[in-house]
Amino acid sequence: MAKEDVSARITDLLNEYFSSEEAAKLQLEIYRVQYRKEGKDWILRVFLDKTADAEEQYVNIDECEAVTRYLSDKLDELDFIDRSYNLEVSSPGLDRELIKDSDYDRFAGRLVEVKTYEAIVIGGVGGKGKPNSVKNFEGTLIGKENGIVKISAGDEELSIPQEKISKINLAVVF
């Protein structure tokens, strides 16, 4: 079965599970499903997230375990993956990548790390300092509108077209 088909079927199974009365109280949703070869092994990796209206902000290990048990049982029953694989269920982590449009609203005001495909000129506005061309920087996420991601970096507000961003993650602050 093709990688995309496996991911789609897993997504369907999880959506069915999350809509059940038992699982609805977990307030979980799918963040990402990956099925790919790593080295000589195939990995089925499921990342879970809390729904935007959830009481808790983070997925805990008991929730990952419950989803692992459900998926493992369903996959054994349906047996549609034609090779051996390792199943991993986890959360996206503190440094999660922003991948959905709703992430930009949900995490507005948080510090983010941005990597762009090409250098962006920042600084030097209004005669203040020397401009810098950078591909990696940190700033406070303002939001996203019409495909433009807005970030406050120092005294400057940056507007970056989303197609120029290779990756944007929440920054981990200790």
Side-chain angles (χ1 to χ4, degrees), residues 20 22 45 50 58 70-71 75 84 91 111 115-116 151:
S20 72
E22 171 194 343
R45 195 170 281 127
K50 286 293 192 174
Y58 301 107
Y70 168 78
L71 260 183
L75 289 168
S84 64
S91 72
L111 190 63
K115 294 180 182 189
T116 57
I151 296 164

Side-chain angles (χ1 to χ4, degrees), residues 1 6-7 9-11 13-14 35 44-46 67-82 85-89:
M1 178 174 277
V6 170
S7 294
R9 292 215 39 202
I10 297 300
T11 298
L13 284 172
L14 287 172
Y35 179 62
L44 174 55
R45 195 170 281 127
V46 176
V67 172
T68 299
R69 271 188 267 111
Y70 168 78
L71 260 183
S72 184
D73 290 348
K74 274 298 201 186
L75 289 168
D76 286 347
E77 174 189 327
L78 299 173
D79 197 27
F80 60 84
I81 300 176
D82 56 0
Y85 59 91
N86 294 314
L87 174 62
E88 297 177 6
V89 178

Side-chain angles (χ1 to χ4, degrees), residues 81-155:
I81 300 176
D82 56 0
R83 57 178 57 99
S84 64
Y85 59 91
N86 294 314
L87 174 62
E88 297 177 6
V89 178
S90 68
S91 72
L94 296 175
D95 62 343
R96 67 181 301 131
E97 184 177 358
L98 305 184
I99 57 174
K100 297 185 284 189
D101 285 341
S102 61
D103 290 341
Y104 292 87
D105 293 329
R106 183 175 179 182
F107 298 108
R110 298 273 303 268
L111 190 63
V112 292
E113 295 173 340
V114 181
K115 294 180 182 189
T116 57
Y117 291 109
E118 58 191 46
I120 294 176
V121 177
I122 63 170
V125 177
K128 296 180 184 176
K130 187 176 173 184
N132 294 311
S133 291
V134 295
K135 289 176 71 175
N136 301 312
F137 55 93
E138 282 189 350
T140 302
L141 178 64
I142 297 169
K144 178 179 150 191
E145 189 174 325
N146 300 323
I148 304 294
V149 177
K150 293 187 182 272
I151 296 164
S152 174
D155 295 336

